[in-house]
Amino acid sequence: YFRPMANEPSTLLHVVADYAAGGLEFGEITTRLQYHLENPHSVRIHPTATPSLDTMAIGFVTQQYAFAPHEGKMFIYGNAAPRRDSSKAAKNNNNKGIQYARLDNGVEIINVFSEFAFGFVKNHIVEYRDIDCPDGGSQFRSRDFFPERVARLINGDRSVLTTELDISSIPDIPHNLVAWTDGFGNVKTTMRRSDLDAMSLKPGDKVQIILNNVSMIGVVSTGGFTVDRGVLAINAGSSGFEDPFVELFLRVHHMTEKPAAVRFDYPEGGTPFEMKKVK
């Protein structure tokens, strides 16, 4: 942790990546970022680990940080390699590049391009650009190439920004996918509270959830703790701000009781689910 000097502007950099928490990869990325930053002591770097290859998590965490109240500048650098779209060998380790987005609240995002990387913030993007960066030549581009580009942008060097991209080309996020599983086994989804309202669902209504070929009956509630122990609550959760994302919250008192993520066989980010009202 670096504390800036008095009167020195502070920048918060969230590094969101599919590396082991506290692992070597995060250490190497942080070292490279610090090396390339003109004033490293004014930049606070916060690492967040996501599940491996989970590009949905990158997009979900990006929006959760991007819209949080903050002072000073905020940058988000997200990286999870979208390797599932091709089974072919990559020549010279070629893979997806990084793109830049600036939001209407001033937050700047540098994410490895993937289906979900910018979808959650799409409606708030005011500038969307490609970034000049090698598309091959290293198996660990997120150490050897990407941090230098991120640091240059933080330094104020916008010469790495190239082609203006079409914001409308960013895929919208479907509202029936798994977004994130928290440390207590609660499954956050891309469904919003407004979707529950559109389905005319109100607290106390019973619904059937089908996820990972597992079916469970749950109760629409105003919070996970407003149902009895062992009951699956479907409620607007702690993520999503004005229109919160819906969570599948199975109230347990001990993790051995198997929370929602366990009951639904550990769903990965991007896994679709169904919700049906039980009459």
Side-chain angles (χ1 to χ4, degrees):
Y1 177 84
F2 296 103
R3 184 178 297 279
M5 302 294 288
N7 301 321
E8 184 177 19
S10 175
T11 296
L12 174 60
L13 170 60
H14 285 289
V15 178
V16 185
D18 57 346
Y19 309 136
L24 173 64
E25 294 84 0
F26 269 123
E28 292 201 72
I29 299 303
T30 300
T31 299
R32 291 298 178 95
L33 286 165
Q34 294 280 306
Y35 175 75
H36 290 293
L37 287 167
E38 290 180 351
N39 197 346
H41 292 280
S42 69
V43 180
R44 295 171 292 136
I45 299 175
H46 179 265
T48 299
T50 70
S52 297
L53 308 180
D54 191 339
T55 57
M56 170 63 79
I58 295 296
F60 183 80
V61 174
T62 291
Q63 64 80 32
Q64 192 63 20
Y65 284 152
F67 299 134
H70 65 279
E71 294 184 0
K73 291 185 176 181
M74 181 193 292
F75 285 79
I76 301 170
Y77 163 41
N79 186 1
R83 300 172 184 168
R84 303 176 191 177
D85 55 357
S86 176
S87 298
K88 299 290 186 180
K91 184 178 180 180
N92 198 28
N93 286 303
N94 286 358
N95 211 308
K96 304 295 185 181
I98 50 177
Q99 297 178 344
Y100 168 88
R102 178 169 55 87
L103 306 186
D104 51 15
N105 65 355
V107 172
E108 297 178 74
I109 300 167
I110 303 98
N111 274 351
V112 172
F113 176 77
S114 66
E115 181 181 7
F116 305 115
F118 294 97
F120 287 96
V121 299
K122 175 180 177 178
N123 294 334
H124 294 268
I125 295 176
V126 295
E127 183 180 9
Y128 184 39
R129 305 275 291 274
D130 209 351
I131 295 176
D132 180 23
C133 188
D135 61 2
S138 171
Q139 184 174 328
F140 199 1
R141 290 187 303 161
S142 51
R143 176 198 65 195
D144 298 334
F145 302 138
F146 296 167
E148 188 265 347
R149 268 59 175 185
V150 174
R152 283 170 64 178
L153 285 164
I154 295 174
N155 293 338
D157 178 3
R158 292 173 53 86
S159 67
V160 297
L161 299 180
T162 59
T163 308
E164 290 190 12
L165 303 173
D166 183 4
I167 296 172
S168 66
S169 68
I170 299 172
D172 292 325
I173 304 293
H175 286 198
N176 67 325
L177 305 179
V178 170
W180 177 262
T181 297
D182 68 21
F184 296 100
N186 304 314
V187 179
K188 299 175 185 286
T189 76
T190 60
M191 181 176 284
R192 299 274 193 170
R193 179 171 58 192
S194 57
D195 294 314
L196 295 180
D197 295 337
M199 296 170 67
S200 299
L201 291 172
K202 58 185 183 299
D205 287 346
K206 291 185 178 181
V207 295
Q208 178 188 21
I209 302 295
I210 303 173
L211 170 59
N212 261 354
N213 295 316
V214 176
S215 174
M216 288 190 67
I217 300 298
V219 178
V220 177
S221 70
T222 56
F225 293 101
T226 63
V227 299
D228 292 337
R229 182 179 183 179
V231 173
L232 178 68
I234 291 82
N235 61 274
S238 58
S239 303
F241 302 100
E242 290 82 8
D243 191 9
F245 293 102
V246 171
E247 294 185 8
L248 309 180
F249 184 112
L250 185 65
R251 184 177 177 183
V252 298
H253 289 188
H254 305 282
M255 296 302 287
T256 55
E257 296 176 60
K258 299 181 180 179
V262 179
R263 301 290 183 94
F264 286 110
D265 196 23
Y266 303 98
E268 296 181 353
T271 303
F273 69 94
E274 294 182 63
M275 180 185 297
K276 302 176 181 180
K277 187 173 182 178
V278 176
K279 297 181 181 180

